[in-house]
Amino acid sequence: MKRIDFLKTAGLASAATLLTGQNVFAQNLTSNNIDRLVDANGNFIQQALPYSESFLEPYMDSETLHLHYTFHHGGAVTAANKDAQMIKKALDENNFETIDFWTKKLAYHSSSHILHSIFWTNLTNKKSEPTKDLLKRIEKDFGSYDKLKSYLAVTSKNVDGNGWGILGYQPYTDKLVILQCENHEKLTQWGIIPLLVIDVWEHSYYLKYKNKRADFVDALFNIINWDNAAQRLNDALKFAK
Ligand code: MN3
């Protein structure tokens, strides 16, 4: 059975498995391997960026991108592997004293890995707008593209502390949903598949935008890759069928 057929057959459960497991998204998005989150042994791996570190200039400067990708995203991947190893060790040794601690850590680090992997592909060096099915759904669920933009922007700008603004697809309700995520994993709704994510951790903007998070979020709308979000919606809809 081809992988995509399997996904159709297995339905929602697979979408959930994929989110925590291997390829968050389907073939097109894994052609450059950026969405492949684990290797054949199930260890978390970080793929190369799909562009050079200066590709998103001037809106995202290369030094920020370098530090962000290498140390923040990269650090989460390393930590997620350690968390998973500690959980395995606890299971092997039948010692459950600290397993809840590592489970929390893994939720945090693996969510960071997933969201960062999506974030890099959500950006490009030219301005775009949603079209076709994605635009229709945006209009149905939020009224208009302008309203969605305002909603996503204000939600991202107002995250308490570090976190993300997220546009996702909710298979249970067949709707697009906005989330205001704290850290990498808090305040989600079960099952939501992220389509477009905005990293508003300070490491994401502080070198260039200083304390002006709102300016960073507004600037990001110049480099959002709506084609990528549309592709992710397309794949999410396939998973949900
Ligand atoms: Mn980040």
Side-chain angles (χ1 to χ4, degrees):
M1 193 187 288
K2 280 198 308 199
R3 188 172 160 271
I4 196 72
D5 294 336
F6 170 76
L7 290 175
K8 278 181 185 157
T9 309
L12 270 181
S14 287
T17 308
L18 282 166
L19 274 174
T20 51
Q22 231 184 336
N23 310 322
V24 184
F25 308 95
Q27 282 124 338
N28 294 346
L29 289 163
T30 52
S31 59
N32 68 4
N33 277 332
I34 186 79
D35 273 357
R36 193 174 291 277
L37 300 183
V38 293
D39 65 16
N41 298 319
N43 298 312
F44 294 104
I45 47 168
Q46 186 184 28
Q47 301 296 345
L49 280 170
Y51 36 67
S52 73
E53 289 177 351
S54 60
F55 187 71
L56 302 174
E57 295 265 11
Y59 301 105
M60 188 179 289
D61 60 291
S62 57
E63 189 181 9
T64 297
L65 183 51
H66 172 73
L67 296 171
H68 193 171
Y69 169 79
T70 308
F71 297 105
H72 294 278
H73 181 188
V77 175
T78 305
N81 279 320
K82 181 180 180 186
D83 305 335
Q85 277 165 17
M86 295 306 285
I87 290 169
K88 184 175 183 303
K89 186 166 175 269
L91 291 170
D92 287 347
E93 294 173 356
N94 211 26
N95 177 354
F96 296 92
E97 240 170 70
T98 59
I99 200 167
D100 63 316
F101 171 82
W102 295 108
T103 301
K104 278 181 202 156
K105 288 284 182 196
L106 183 59
Y108 176 85
H109 290 126
S110 69
S111 297
S112 170
H113 183 23
I114 290 169
L115 291 178
H116 281 109
S117 297
I118 295 168
F119 184 53
W120 308 131
T121 66
N122 278 162
L123 302 173
T124 186
N125 67 346
K126 60 178 193 302
K127 194 158 183 167
S128 66
E129 290 193 354
T131 58
K132 299 180 192 164
D133 193 26
L134 177 57
L135 179 61
K136 275 189 208 144
R137 281 180 175 271
I138 286 171
E139 288 171 346
K140 178 169 77 72
D141 293 329
F142 305 110
S144 68
Y145 171 52
D146 278 346
K147 284 186 189 180
L148 174 271
K149 259 203 310 194
S150 301
Y151 184 10
L152 181 57
V154 78
T155 302
S156 304
K157 290 171 187 178
N158 290 319
V159 170
D160 286 336
N162 286 314
W164 301 74
I166 298 174
L167 170 66
Y169 171 71
Q170 166 59 280
Y172 299 125
T173 57
D174 189 32
K175 283 181 182 170
L176 298 179
V177 176
I178 295 284
L179 297 176
Q180 187 177 56
C181 171
E182 292 176 7
N183 292 347
H184 303 294
E185 80 289 21
K186 294 175 184 169
L187 305 182
T188 187
Q189 296 176 27
W190 297 118
I192 284 184
I193 300 172
L195 308 176
L196 173 64
V197 300
I198 295 183
D199 188 338
V200 292
W201 281 63
E202 285 186 346
H203 64 236
S204 193
Y205 59 87
Y206 220 85
L207 284 183
K208 183 178 172 74
Y209 295 88
K210 308 296 184 232
N211 57 323
K212 296 192 166 57
R213 179 195 278 179
D215 290 357
F216 166 69
V217 171
D218 289 336
L220 266 195
F221 280 94
N222 291 299
I223 51 172
I224 283 175
N225 186 344
W226 283 103
D227 288 346
N228 181 264
Q231 208 178 329
R232 291 180 182 283
L233 172 64
N234 196 33
D235 293 337
L237 290 169
K238 281 186 208 155
F239 293 157
K241 270 184 189 148

